[in-house]
Amino acid sequence: MTDQPGLDGDGPSESASGTINRMSEGACCAGTFPANRRVSDDVIDSELTVFKALANEKRLRIIEALRDGELCACELETILDAPQSTVGSHLSKLREAGIVRTRKEGKWTYYRIADTASLQVLNLAAALGEDEQ
Amino acid sequence: MTDQPGLDGDGPSESASGTINRMSEGACCAGTFPANRRVSDDVIDSELTVFKALANEKRLRIIEALRDGELCACELETILDAPQSTVGSHLSKLREAGIVRTRKEGKWTYYRIADTASLQVLNLAAALGEDEQ
DNA sequence: CATACATATCGAAAAAGTCCGATTCGACTT
DNA sequence: AAGTCGAATCGGACTTTTTCGATATGTATG
């Protein structure tokens, strides 16, 4: 027989609820798992939508550029120094993810940050990544 | 303020050396982009590292599972219901990104969230994505 | 030391994402 | 209406990421 991890719980951070159903026979985790630690698919989907939208250098540059206020699509083209179709598809993804919102004025389309919470996410991520390098 | 789109169309008579212009004909924003809105590459890199690590369903499930405390790699295998090598590579990426930290105990490896700021990022993202669906 | 188990890593195929020319569409001007 | 400009979208080449069997490493046990 083999030991089970976390049985005696002498670790420094073993303070979680003991509702995890551990097995009493066989290998470490065979058969049973802490099902109560699953999270709803909706939450995962929400997070995934946002993070996929943010996991791209050009899209991050767009958002950083929009920190101080709205810009039109063509201005973002020059900031990214990329072809119109490239910038356009990035903007589409940001809009589909709900990160940015648009305002049409004549033949121009102005983009702005939809929710300041997006900027908080950026700030937190920057701080997180910073002390890891 | 920079010139907003509104200057008259000049026609295809671009003669100067386009320093930042990629299009054949400058119009709306050619030459007058808000350069001061650029952000340092370091910040972008930090954000990118974090967001790339979080932009994956399985890795998000791992992090959500670790909210309440550490779990060993084999427990995470059963949560994800994926082969050991798949889970292992996701855990490697999370560790390389600094999202999780490990603790070895005998032949087991325990994973935990490295920084509670990660969970704040998740919470914000979940809220952001929520009201977009 | 042989064995079993936990896990890290490799490598190649599959899947997903990015890039960008070309096209389409809408709004404006003449 | 015809032409122009800004912008959205399509299609396919290209790049990156994911997946997972196979293998390697490490740790306990007999």
Side-chain angles (χ1 to χ4, degrees), chain A residues 2 16 28 30 36 43 50 59 83 86 90-92 99 111 119 122 124 128:
Chain A
T2 53
C28 168
N36 56 314
V43 172
V50 171
R59 291 197 290 274
T86 299
H90 284 303
L91 288 171
S92 289
I99 306 286
Y111 285 79
L119 299 178
L122 279 258
L124 275 170
L128 258 178

Side-chain angles (χ1 to χ4, degrees), chain B residues 41-118:
Chain B
D41 289 353
D42 287 351
V43 172
I44 296 286
D45 282 350
S46 295
E47 295 167 348
L48 200 52
T49 299
V50 171
F51 291 136
K52 281 196 172 186
L54 299 179
N56 177 274
E57 181 187 337
K58 288 191 170 59
R59 290 198 290 273
L60 285 181
R61 286 194 192 282
I62 289 172
I63 300 171
E64 291 291 356
L66 294 178
R67 268 187 187 274
D68 304 326
E70 64 182 12
L71 290 170
C72 81
C74 57
E75 286 171 313
L76 291 165
E77 268 175 62
T78 62
I79 286 179
L80 293 193
D81 191 29
Q84 183 270 325
S85 62
T86 298
V87 178
S89 65
H90 284 303
L91 288 171
S92 289
K93 281 180 184 169
L94 285 173
R95 193 177 38 189
E96 286 165 15
I99 306 285
V100 302
R101 223 181 286 280
T102 57
R103 175 177 70 89
K104 296 217 70 167
E105 185 176 318
K107 50 182 177 177
W108 293 286
T109 305
Y110 289 92
Y111 285 80
R112 67 182 187 281
I113 304 290
D115 190 331
T116 52
S118 305

Side-chain angles (χ1 to χ4, degrees), chain A residues 82-115:
Chain A
Q84 184 270 327
S85 62
T86 299
V87 177
S89 66
H90 284 303
L91 288 171
S92 289
K93 280 179 186 170
L94 285 173
R95 191 177 41 190
E96 285 165 16
I99 306 286
V100 302
R101 223 180 286 278
T102 58
R103 174 176 71 87
K104 295 217 73 171
E105 186 176 316
K107 50 183 177 177
W108 293 284
T109 306
Y110 289 91
Y111 285 79
R112 67 182 188 282
I113 305 290
D115 190 330

Side-chain angles (χ1 to χ4, degrees), chain A residues 3 5-6 16 22 28-29 33 37-38 41 47 56 61 64-65 69 71 74-75 78-79 81 108 110 122, chain B residues 4-5 22 28-29 33 37-38 41 47-48 56 61 64-65 68-69 71 74-75 78-79 108 110 122 125:
Chain A
D3 276 329
R22 308 222 188 234
C28 168
C29 312
F33 60 94
R37 289 208 178 173
R38 278 182 188 277
D41 289 353
E47 295 167 348
N56 175 273
R61 287 193 191 282
E64 293 289 357
L71 290 172
C74 56
E75 285 172 313
T78 63
I79 286 179
D81 191 29
W108 293 284
Y110 289 91
L122 279 258
Chain B
Q4 287 302 303
R22 304 201 74 264
C28 168
C29 314
F33 69 101
R37 288 206 179 172
R38 280 182 185 279
D41 289 353
E47 295 167 348
L48 200 52
N56 177 274
R61 286 194 192 282
E64 291 291 356
D68 304 326
L71 290 170
C74 57
E75 286 171 313
T78 62
I79 286 179
W108 293 286
Y110 289 92
L122 280 257

